[in-house]
């Protein structure tokens, strides 16, 4: 039995890593046709085209980073501040229930419902519109996430600071932010990932003009260009891997 455990564990690791390894290999290949076992070319030719205008991947990567950072920053900060009001409100349960509304519908249906208003506001097909649309699903998550932070202990600390002469700004920046630092970072990472992998709202509100990496992946797959599709998937996976490493090294270890 002891010999089977390492074998099963090794098999599970191989199965988990295989899709990622295959994506990297496919992104470096070209002219790989059945029944050939190996591709006709294997190298960095596809990766060198990231910086060219042929693929447009560099621009998509930059706009994806800008959109995700904007959504994560605004959602985390606004969610932290507004969650305090919601948590201390007499109708906390009703307000918390309303935050689940954006998750009742599929993102594509939700985007279709919002498209009329975004068109009237002139946000249709613009990065700003995509940021606002993604904020509408990331912000409720931040509200729900921070709802567990506000409790009687935190309220007592706020009252203590007020008793000692501290104002609201000092309470947040010198007491609440340091206490909630770990939760703020985790919420930032989570909302970044929500925005980073979002496809439905982006495809509806962006109408193909705002080509984030997720949009690029599906475009290449529809074109049957699996090599560029794998390349865009590698770029799509890279930031979450970096965030996972930072989360484990600087956030999780401190919480533990």
């Amino acid at each position: 039995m002891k010999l089977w455990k390492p074998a099963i564990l090794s098999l599970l690791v191989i199965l988990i890593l295989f899709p990622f390894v295959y994506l990297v290999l496919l992104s470096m290949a070209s002219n790989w046709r059945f029944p050939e076992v190996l591709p006709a070319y294997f190298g960095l030719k596809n990766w060198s085209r990231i910086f060219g205008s042929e693929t447009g991947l560099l621009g998509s990567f930059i706009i994806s980073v800008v959109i995700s950072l904007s959504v994560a920053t605004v959602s985390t900060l606004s969610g932290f501040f507004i969650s305090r009001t919601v948590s201390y409100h007499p109708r906390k349960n009703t307000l918390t229930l309303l935050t689940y509304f954006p998750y009742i519908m599929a993102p594509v249906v939700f985007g279709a419902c919002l498209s009329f208003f975004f068109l009237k506001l002139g946000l249709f097909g613009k990065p700003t519109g995509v940021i606002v649309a993604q904020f509408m699903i990331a912000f409720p998550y931040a509200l729900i996430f921070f709802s567990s932070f506000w409790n009687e202990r935190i309220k007592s600390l706020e009252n203590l600071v007020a008793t000692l002469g501290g104002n609201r700004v000092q309470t947040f920046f010198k007491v609440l932010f340091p206490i909630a630092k770990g939760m703020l970072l985790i919420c930032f990472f989570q909302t970044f990932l929500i925005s980073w992998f979002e496809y439905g709202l982006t495809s509806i509100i962006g109408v193909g003009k705002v080509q984030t990496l997720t949009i690029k992946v599906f475009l290449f797959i529809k074109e049957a260009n699996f090599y560029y599709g794998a390349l865009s998937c590698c770029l799509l996976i890279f930031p979450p891997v970096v965030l996972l490493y930072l989360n484990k090294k600087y956030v999780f270890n401190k919480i533990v």
Side-chain angles (χ1 to χ4, degrees):
M1 187 65 182
K2 292 182 179 180
L3 295 176
W4 280 103
K5 288 184 178 179
I8 295 173
L9 181 60
S10 301
L11 179 61
L12 289 175
V13 171
I14 292 172
L15 291 175
I16 292 171
L17 293 179
F18 174 76
F20 302 101
V21 175
Y22 180 71
L23 279 176
V24 175
L25 294 176
L26 192 61
S27 69
M28 300 174 68
S30 62
N31 298 324
W32 197 352
R33 296 182 178 89
F34 181 84
E36 296 175 358
V37 178
L38 298 175
Y41 173 83
F42 189 80
L44 298 175
K45 181 175 67 176
N46 294 337
W47 284 87
S48 65
R49 291 175 180 171
I50 291 176
F51 302 97
S53 58
E54 178 183 350
T55 61
L57 285 175
L58 181 61
S60 295
F61 182 81
I62 293 173
I63 195 170
S64 295
V65 171
V66 171
I67 289 174
S68 297
L69 286 177
S70 302
V71 172
T73 303
V74 177
S75 299
T76 301
L77 292 178
S78 60
F80 182 73
F81 285 110
I82 298 178
S83 64
R84 178 184 180 276
T85 303
V86 173
S87 297
Y88 295 155
H89 197 275
R91 297 185 178 179
K92 172 188 173 182
N93 294 333
T94 304
L95 294 175
T96 303
L97 184 63
L98 291 175
T99 58
Y100 288 93
F101 176 75
Y103 305 113
I104 296 175
M105 297 179 287
V108 175
V109 177
F110 188 52
C113 295
L114 295 175
S115 58
F116 173 79
F117 303 100
F118 278 69
L119 185 62
K120 288 293 184 180
L121 293 171
L123 298 175
F124 215 54
K126 295 181 180 179
T128 309
V130 174
I131 292 173
V132 174
Q134 291 186 1
F135 171 79
M136 295 180 72
I137 61 172
F139 172 68
Y141 173 84
L143 281 178
I144 297 169
F145 181 82
F146 286 119
S147 61
S148 61
F149 175 77
W150 306 103
N151 50 41
E152 290 300 323
R153 173 177 171 270
I154 298 298
K155 196 169 185 179
S156 298
L157 287 174
E158 292 183 66
N159 294 333
L160 178 61
V161 174
T163 303
L164 296 174
N167 54 35
R168 183 62 59 85
V169 175
Q170 291 173 328
T171 302
F172 271 99
F173 283 95
K174 294 189 176 182
V175 179
L176 298 180
F177 278 161
I179 295 175
K181 182 171 64 174
M183 293 188 69
L184 287 167
L185 289 173
I186 293 174
C187 185
F188 177 84
F189 294 155
Q190 295 292 338
T191 49
F192 180 92
L193 294 178
I194 290 173
S195 172
W196 184 258
F197 289 111
E198 211 291 315
Y199 174 78
L201 276 176
T202 307
S203 62
I204 297 296
I205 304 301
V207 291
K209 295 181 181 180
V210 184
Q211 295 191 351
T212 59
L213 277 177
T214 50
I215 301 296
K216 278 288 187 182
V217 170
F218 283 93
L219 285 176
F220 286 134
I221 292 175
K222 289 178 182 178
E223 295 172 0
N225 194 337
F226 302 111
Y227 311 113
Y228 284 168
L231 178 59
S232 56
C233 282
C234 291
L235 293 176
L236 195 65
I237 293 170
F238 177 71
V241 171
V242 174
L243 287 178
L244 183 64
Y245 170 77
L246 294 175
N247 189 25
K248 184 178 182 300
K249 185 173 182 179
Y250 297 105
V251 180
F252 181 75
N253 289 339
K254 290 183 179 179
I255 294 176
V256 174

